[in-house]
Amino acid sequence: MKIALDAMGGDFAPGATVEGAILAAEKLAGKAEILLIGDEGLIKAELQKHGYTSPRISVIHTTQVIAMGEHPTKALTQKPDSSIAKGYALLKAREVDAFASAGNTGAMLVGALFSVKAVEGFLRPCIASFAPKLNGGIGVIVDVGANADCKPEVLEQFGEIGSIYAEEVLKIPNPKVGLMSLGEEEGKGNMATQAAHQLLKANTSINFVGNIEGRDLFNDKADVIVCDGYTGNVILKMAESFYDILKEKNISDSFIDRLDYEAVGGTPILGINGNAIIGHGASSPGAICNMVQQAYQMATSDVSEKFKKTYSA
């Protein structure tokens, strides 16, 4: 298996990305090869700094970098030899099994849509994130930022694709799907969530448990939390703030530690023809390592192919 990693993506690249790749290569020894994409001279200098010479990591040279503040579409058009463009080219050609980057989030989304493209039949590719559960488990939230406004049928597909991801990658049998709303009752919510509730309720391919509220984020009422990207992003950032606040107050707790974005490493893009992960711009080597391992889990589960089969049917 081959996993491509954007060595130039992130606030601390290429130092943090190369170090993270080394950590991941050791953890995935014998299971996957990591391809570092970016400036060969800079990457090799970092590898030499760590005394790393193993063939578990190889380098693919590119001459351009998409900066964090650049316009995604323009940057991808004007920089075809950028690390993000090259990563998606490799993914599209099936020369790698997954692509991960902590670089420009917009460019990662645009690249996914215009390179590997959306799965035929899936309306709006989305970004998923994760919610630790008090019982020790983990849940998946879709969407957390790609689609601020969603029609009811899009929310229904989020429930389907989130359920497939939870079952195939997180190994949750018959995952419970809940619709985030402002009340548990069926009639609560805005026009979109009320209509989405009826679609999800009638969908026999998922285990829909009804509406859930914000207080249900960390309990075991739902394994898959469905919401539009605007709501999901607010939920995600608020959850992350709990971790930051408690760390600032020198309060340590094993559950709260699981709210740290570094523990997961990145957010998968769901509904595209391939496995792609977006990491946090401020990713440390540990976060990069976890992102690469998450990419490996996605590729091993073959979840993108299961998305295709679901919607082609």
Side-chain angles (χ1 to χ4, degrees), residues 4 24 115 156 161 166 187 207 290 304:
S115 182
E156 179 190 15
I161 209 163
N207 178 18
N290 289 333
S304 66

Side-chain angles (χ1 to χ4, degrees), residues 51-285:
Y52 194 84
T53 57
S54 171
R56 293 171 189 159
I57 293 178
S58 57
V59 180
I60 295 179
H61 180 63
T62 57
T63 60
Q64 297 172 311
V65 178
I66 296 177
M68 298 298 265
E70 288 191 73
H71 187 282
T73 306
K74 288 182 180 179
L76 282 167
T77 302
Q78 296 169 1
K79 295 183 175 180
D81 197 41
S82 64
S83 49
I84 289 180
K86 182 63 176 178
Y88 274 121
L90 292 170
L91 189 61
K92 182 180 180 180
R94 295 181 176 270
E95 293 180 33
V96 298
D97 300 284
F99 173 48
S101 173
N104 187 305
T105 299
M108 282 295 288
L109 285 169
V110 171
L113 293 174
F114 288 94
S115 182
V116 295
K117 303 186 185 308
V119 169
E120 186 176 356
F122 191 73
L123 299 172
R124 301 287 290 274
C126 53
I127 307 175
S129 191
F130 307 96
K133 299 296 185 176
L134 288 166
N135 63 6
I138 189 169
V140 58
I141 312 170
V142 283
D143 180 25
V144 295
N147 306 279
D149 297 297
C150 296
K151 293 181 179 180
E153 55 268 29
V154 172
L155 292 172
E156 179 190 15
Q157 286 195 338
F158 288 173
E160 292 174 336
I161 209 163
S163 183
I164 294 169
Y165 185 92
E167 189 158 16
E168 300 297 334
V169 182
L170 301 181
K171 306 303 180 185
I172 301 172
N174 195 28
K176 295 172 288 187
V177 178
L179 176 65
M180 183 60 70
S181 189
L182 45 76
E184 295 180 345
E185 297 82 4
E186 187 171 324
K188 291 290 182 72
N190 57 24
M191 297 293 286
T193 53
Q194 288 181 41
H197 184 108
Q198 297 307 313
L199 293 174
L200 289 162
K201 183 180 177 181
N203 192 323
T204 57
S205 69
I206 60 173
N207 178 18
F208 183 56
V209 296
N211 286 350
I212 60 171
E213 300 176 293
R215 62 183 175 182
D216 298 313
L217 184 63
F218 304 122
N219 63 30
D220 61 356
K221 186 170 182 179
D223 303 301
V224 180
I225 298 164
V226 176
C227 54
D228 59 70
Y230 185 98
T231 303
N233 194 267
V234 171
I235 290 172
L236 177 64
K237 297 300 171 57
M238 178 177 286
E240 288 179 351
S241 75
F242 295 157
Y243 172 81
D244 294 335
I245 291 168
L246 291 180
K247 283 297 178 183
E248 189 174 319
K249 293 181 174 294
N250 293 316
I251 299 173
S252 180
D253 181 87
S254 58
F255 172 77
I256 295 298
D257 287 344
R258 297 175 67 204
L259 293 173
D260 181 10
Y261 70 87
E262 295 199 1
V264 175
T267 55
I269 305 174
L270 304 185
I272 60 173
N273 292 296
N275 303 303
I277 309 273
I278 303 173
H280 197 290
S283 290
S284 67

